[in-house]
Amino acid sequence: MEMDLNAQVKKACFLQRLKDFPSNLKDGVTKRIKHVQKFGKDDPRRIIHSIKVGVSLTLVSMLYYVRPLYNSFGVSGMWAIVTVVVVSEFTVGGTLSKGLNRAFATLIAGALGVGAVHLARLCGHKAEPIVLGILVFSLGSAVTFSRFFPRIKQRYDYGALIFILTFSMVAVSGYRTDEILVIAYQRLSTILIGGTICILVSIFVFPVWAGEDLHKLVANNIIKLANSLEGFEGEYFPSSEKTSKETNSSVREYKGILTSETTEDTLANLARWEPGHGRFRLSHPWTKYFKIAGLVRQCAIHFEVLNACVLSDAKAPQDFISKILEPCSIMSREAGEALKAIAKSIKTMSRYHVCVNTHIKNSKNAIENLRLALKLSFPETDKDLLEIIPGVTMASTLIYIVNYVEKISEAVEELSGTVKPVLEGDNAEECNNSPHVVIAIHDEQPPTVNENNVNLGAEKTTVVVV
Amino acid sequence: MEMDLNAQVKKACFLQRLKDFPSNLKDGVTKRIKHVQKFGKDDPRRIIHSIKVGVSLTLVSMLYYVRPLYNSFGVSGMWAIVTVVVVSEFTVGGTLSKGLNRAFATLIAGALGVGAVHLARLCGHKAEPIVLGILVFSLGSAVTFSRFFPRIKQRYDYGALIFILTFSMVAVSGYRTDEILVIAYQRLSTILIGGTICILVSIFVFPVWAGEDLHKLVANNIIKLANSLEGFEGEYFPSSEKTSKETNSSVREYKGILTSETTEDTLANLARWEPGHGRFRLSHPWTKYFKIAGLVRQCAIHFEVLNACVLSDAKAPQDFISKILEPCSIMSREAGEALKAIAKSIKTMSRYHVCVNTHIKNSKNAIENLRLALKLSFPETDKDLLEIIPGVTMASTLIYIVNYVEKISEAVEELSGTVKPVLEGDNAEECNNSPHVVIAIHDEQPPTVNENNVNLGAEKTTVVVV
C-alpha cells in the first residue's frame, strides 16, 4: 500500500515537472540571455572585438572566394585564415606583439628551413631524413629550452613557438617536395596578408589600447584606495557624517588591487608594442607604472590590516577612540583626498594639483596631532593599556598608509618627468580643501629630515605629462 | 695641438678595445653559457621537457619520412607537426588540456563546417560564398565573444580558438574543393596522431604533474612562512640564540607568497585535467588547495607588517621589549614549529602530527602570557605609551599570525577529509617540543568560545590523505 502511495507521489511529481518544463526552460533561457546581455553591456568593447574578428575572417576569406586571388595563393590561403584567428587579440598591443612575432619568426625559420633542406640534400638521398631529423630535433629542443627564460617568455614566447613550427614544417616537407621555395613564399606571404588585415582592423576599427587600459587601471586602483579609506572612516567611526550602510561596500574595494599584479604586468608588456596613440608617445615610460602600481599594492596590504580592525570584535573603548578620533579621521580623509587628486591628475593627464601636497601635508600634521592625543590619553588603569591595543594598531596602520600616499605621490611626480616650479599660490584655488584642515603645526621637521626628501610646501606645483 | 692629443687618445682607446675584443667576447660567451647551464641545473625538468619536444617532433616527422605513411596522409601530415609543437606543454595537465581541447574542437567544428558547406551548396552557386561568409562571420564572432566568459576562458579558451579555426578553414576551403570530407578526415586523423604522441610522451617519459607541483608549492609556501617567522625572531630579538646574519635572508622569504596566486591558479586548473598519479587520485580535491593557499597569502600579508616592524627605525625601548620578549618569542617559535609540522604532513602525506595542535596550543597560551606581560609593563610616564607603540603593533601582528596558523591547520585538516579520533598521547613522542613550552594556562576559554571552533586539545590526531 505504502509502495503504491510512493509510486503515485513519484508519478505526480514527474507529471508536474513535465508540465513545468516549458516554463522552466523559458525562464532558464531568459536568465542566460540576460546574463550574456549584461556581460556585453559591462564592457561593450567585448562585443566590438568579436565583430572585428568576424570582419577580419570575412575579409581574409576573399583569398578563397575571389578567383584571381585563389589562383595566386591556392590552398596556402588557409594560412591567412589561421593567422587571423590566432593573431586577433583584444588589445592593439596584443595583436601587434603576436603579428610581429609570427611574421619575423616565420621569415627567419623559413629561411633556415630552406637552408637545412639544401644542406640535407648535399648529404645524399639516404642520409637526408637523418640529417633533417637531427636538425629538427636539435633546433626544436634548443628553442623549446629558450622559451623557459623569463625575458624570452615575456616578449617572444609566441615567436619561439612559431619558429619551431615553421622550421619543422619547411624542413620536413622539404623531403617530399621540390617546390620548397614556392611553399615557403606562399606561407610567408599569406601570413603577412592575414597579419596585416588583423593589425589594420585592430588599430583603425575601435582600437583597444593596452597602454590606455594600464593607465586607467593604475588611476582606478588609486581611487579604490581612496574609496576604501572613505569607507573605513564611516565604518570605524560611526559618528562620522557618512552612514555605515553607504560605506559598507566601499571599504573592501582595495581587495581587487591585491590581485591585479598579473593584469598590470600583461598590459605593461603589451603596451610596449604599441605605437604612439592619443595622449601617449611611442616611448611612453610604461615600465614606470610598475613602480606606482607596486606602491599602491603595498599600501593596499596595510588596508588589509585596517580591514581586520574593522571586522574585529575587539574594538578599543569609546572614550579612547573619541580622543584619537579627530586626528585619525583627518589623516584618513586628507590621505583619501590626496589619493583622489593624484588619480585625477593621472586620469586627466592634467596639471599635478598643488592640493596633493597640501593634503599630504595636512595628513602629516594630523600624525603629529595624533601623537599629542596619545600623550593626553594616558591610560588610567592597567587594564586600559590592553584594551586600547586595537585602537593603537589602527592608528599606526593609518600612519603607514599616509607614508605610502606620499611615496605614491612622488612616484607619480617621477613619472611626469618634467617638474616645473610655479609661483606660490598658483593653482591653489583648484584645491578643494575640506573644512577640517589642520592649521596647527607641531614640531615641524626641516625638509631634509623628511623620510622621503620631499618638499611638502605649497610653493611647488608640477605638471604631469603621462 | 689639443685636437691632436684628443685624436691620439681616441685612437689608443680604440686600439686597446680592439685588442681586448677577443678576450671580452670569450668572457661574455663563457658567462652566457654558465648562465644557461645554471638555469638548466636549477630545474633539470626544463632540459628533459626540451628533449621530449624534440623526440615528439622526430616521431611525428615519420609521417613524411616513411613512404606508406606519407601515401595515406600526404601533406596533411603537417597538421600533426603543428599539433605536436602547439600541444607540447611543460606539465601533463597542460598537454592533456590542450590536446583534448584541440581534438574535440576540431571534431565538432569539422562536422559543423561540412554541414555549413552542404547548406551553402543548396542555395546555389552564386549565393554559396555569401551564405558561407555569413556563417563564418556569425560563428566566428559568437565564439570569440564566448571566450571572454571567465568559465570558458579558464578551461576551454584553446578549444574555442581551434573551433573558430577549424570551422572557418573547412567552410571556406569547402568552396573550392569537392573533397571536403577527405580534407576533414585527414586533418582530424593527423591531429589525433600528433595529440596522441604528445600525450603519451608527456605521461610516460619523465612526466611533470601540475598537481604534484601545486601540492609542493603550497607546502613550500607554508615552510617559507615558518622560515620568515624564524628569521623575524632573530632580527627583532637580537638576544635570541640565532645571529642576525643567519636569519637576515630568511626573514623576507614570505615575499614570494604574495605573488604566487597566478601560479597556483594555473596549476590547480591544469591539475584537474590530470589522471590519477602517484599519491593522487583522479578526483583529488585540487580546488581545496585554493583555500589553504589563500589563507597562507592572508597570513603573509601580516608578515609584511611584521617586516615593517623589523625595518622601522622606531623600535620600542629595550626594557619594554625584554618584558614581552618571552611570550612573543614563544608565540613566533611555536607558530613556526606548527607551520613546519603542517608543511611536513602535507609534503610527506603522512599522519597529521598531534604536535601541530600542541604547538598551536602553546602559542595560544603564549598570547595569554603576553596579555599578562602587557598588564605588568604598565608605562610609567606619558611618553612611554608613545614609545611602546611599535612593540605593541608587533605583538598584535603576531597574535593575528597565530590565528592564521590555526586557520591554515584547520584547512589542511579539511583537505585531509578523514578525521580519525585517536587516544590521547598517541603519537605524542613525534612532537619535538621546544624547551620553552608554556605549561601555565590562563583563563582558558571553553572550546565553543574559540574563534574558529576548533578543539585545541592534544586528545585528537588526524590523518592527512591528501
Side-chain angles (χ1 to χ4, degrees), chain A residues 64 67 176 262 298 304, chain B residues 64 67 176 262 298 304:
Chain A
Y64 268 79
R67 170 59 74 181
R176 287 288 171 198
T262 320
Q298 289 280 324
E304 192 78 2
Chain B
Y64 268 79
R67 170 61 72 182
R176 287 286 171 199
T262 321
Q298 290 280 325
E304 192 79 1

Side-chain angles (χ1 to χ4, degrees), chain A residues 59-331:
Chain A
L59 280 177
V60 89
S61 306
M62 296 300 156
L63 287 180
Y64 268 79
Y65 299 150
V66 180
R67 170 59 74 181
L69 288 176
Y70 184 71
N71 287 348
S72 340
F73 295 105
V75 286
S76 283
M78 82 176 118
W79 287 113
I81 297 179
V82 173
T83 305
V84 164
V85 175
V86 178
V87 166
S88 290
E89 289 281 317
F90 187 53
T91 58
V92 175
T95 310
L96 273 172
S97 142
K98 273 202 159 177
L100 294 179
N101 260 307
R102 192 175 174 98
F104 282 104
T106 306
L107 188 68
I108 299 167
L112 281 178
V114 172
V117 171
H118 279 282
L119 183 75
R121 279 188 191 160
L122 290 178
C123 304
H125 189 69
K126 276 204 173 163
E128 204 180 330
I130 299 167
V131 173
L132 283 175
I134 291 171
L135 284 173
V136 168
F137 174 84
S138 35
L139 245 95
S141 300
V143 179
T144 303
F145 185 69
S146 80
R147 288 176 70 199
F148 284 110
F149 286 89
R151 265 200 202 171
I152 292 175
K153 190 162 193 68
Q154 208 178 35
R155 301 198 73 183
Y156 307 110
D157 191 55
Y158 186 65
L161 187 81
I162 294 300
F163 180 90
I164 308 174
L165 194 67
T166 307
F167 180 78
S168 312
M169 274 173 56
V170 172
V172 172
S173 64
Y175 180 62
R176 287 288 171 198
T177 177
D178 290 327
E179 291 175 335
I180 183 146
L181 274 176
V182 178
I183 291 180
Y185 160 75
Q186 281 186 339
R187 183 172 148 80
L188 187 62
S189 55
T190 46
I191 283 178
L192 286 182
I193 291 172
T196 311
I197 288 177
C198 275
I199 290 172
L200 291 179
V201 168
S202 170
I203 293 181
F204 295 106
V205 186
F206 299 101
V208 176
W209 301 98
E212 208 167 315
D213 274 16
L214 174 67
H215 186 83
K216 279 182 190 159
L217 180 70
V218 170
N220 282 337
N221 278 353
I222 294 176
I223 287 178
K224 275 181 190 166
L225 283 188
N227 289 345
S228 290
L229 215 45
E230 214 170 52
F232 161 76
E233 211 188 315
E235 286 268 307
Y236 203 86
F237 309 118
S239 56
S240 158
E241 293 153 24
K242 302 242 162 81
T243 64
S244 187
K245 246 189 185 173
E246 260 180 67
T247 57
N248 200 9
S249 59
S250 60
V251 74
R252 270 166 284 283
E253 268 191 26
Y254 73 90
K255 290 251 182 202
I257 302 170
L258 296 172
T259 53
S260 70
E261 193 174 6
T262 320
T263 319
E264 286 155 14
D265 279 7
T266 315
L267 287 177
N269 265 326
L270 297 182
R272 285 155 75 187
W273 289 91
E274 290 176 351
H277 56 278
R279 306 168 291 178
F280 308 100
R281 297 188 314 276
L282 174 64
S283 56
H284 193 74
W286 296 115
T287 43
K288 293 221 167 172
Y289 285 79
F290 280 133
K291 194 184 170 186
I292 302 175
L295 286 170
V296 170
R297 199 165 15 262
Q298 289 280 324
C299 191
I301 283 176
H302 288 281
F303 274 75
E304 192 78 2
V305 181
L306 217 53
N307 190 34
C309 292
V310 171
L311 292 179
S312 167
D313 293 330
K315 286 224 169 69
Q318 203 52 46
D319 60 325
F320 176 76
I321 291 284
S322 64
K323 278 174 193 158
I324 60 164
L325 173 72
E326 209 192 322
C328 278
S329 72
I330 290 176
M331 268 159 77

Side-chain angles (χ1 to χ4, degrees), chain A residues 39 50 54 64-65 67 82 137 141 145 148 165 176 259 261-262 298 304-305 374-375 386 389 393 396, chain B residues 39 50 54 64-65 67 82 137 141 145 148 165 172 176 259 261-262 298 304-305 374-375 386 389 396:
Chain A
F39 192 75
S50 310
Y64 268 79
Y65 299 150
R67 170 59 74 181
V82 173
F137 174 84
S141 300
F145 185 69
F148 284 110
L165 194 67
R176 287 288 171 198
T259 53
E261 193 174 6
T262 320
Q298 289 280 324
E304 192 78 2
V305 181
L374 282 174
K375 270 188 195 178
L386 293 178
I389 287 181
T393 308
S396 68
Chain B
F39 192 74
S50 309
Y64 268 79
Y65 299 149
R67 170 61 72 182
V82 173
F137 174 83
S141 300
F145 185 67
F148 284 111
L165 194 68
V172 173
R176 287 286 171 199
T259 54
E261 193 174 7
T262 321
Q298 290 280 325
E304 192 79 1
V305 181
L374 281 175
K375 269 189 196 177
L386 294 177
I389 285 181
S396 69

Side-chain angles (χ1 to χ4, degrees), chain B residues 343-392:
Chain B
K344 198 182 166 192
S345 79
I346 294 182
K347 260 197 169 171
T348 60
M349 286 178 141
S350 61
R351 287 184 93 178
Y352 195 64
H353 296 277
V354 64
C355 58
V356 172
N357 286 341
T358 315
H359 286 304
I360 291 175
K361 197 180 177 188
N362 289 343
S363 54
K364 291 223 131 188
N365 289 340
I367 294 178
E368 291 307 313
N369 285 352
L370 174 70
R371 285 189 212 282
L372 258 188
L374 281 175
K375 269 189 196 177
L376 295 173
S377 57
F378 182 68
E380 281 153 24
T381 67
D382 58 348
K383 218 193 157 204
D384 282 358
L385 179 59
L386 294 177
E387 282 185 346
I388 63 171
I389 285 181
V392 172

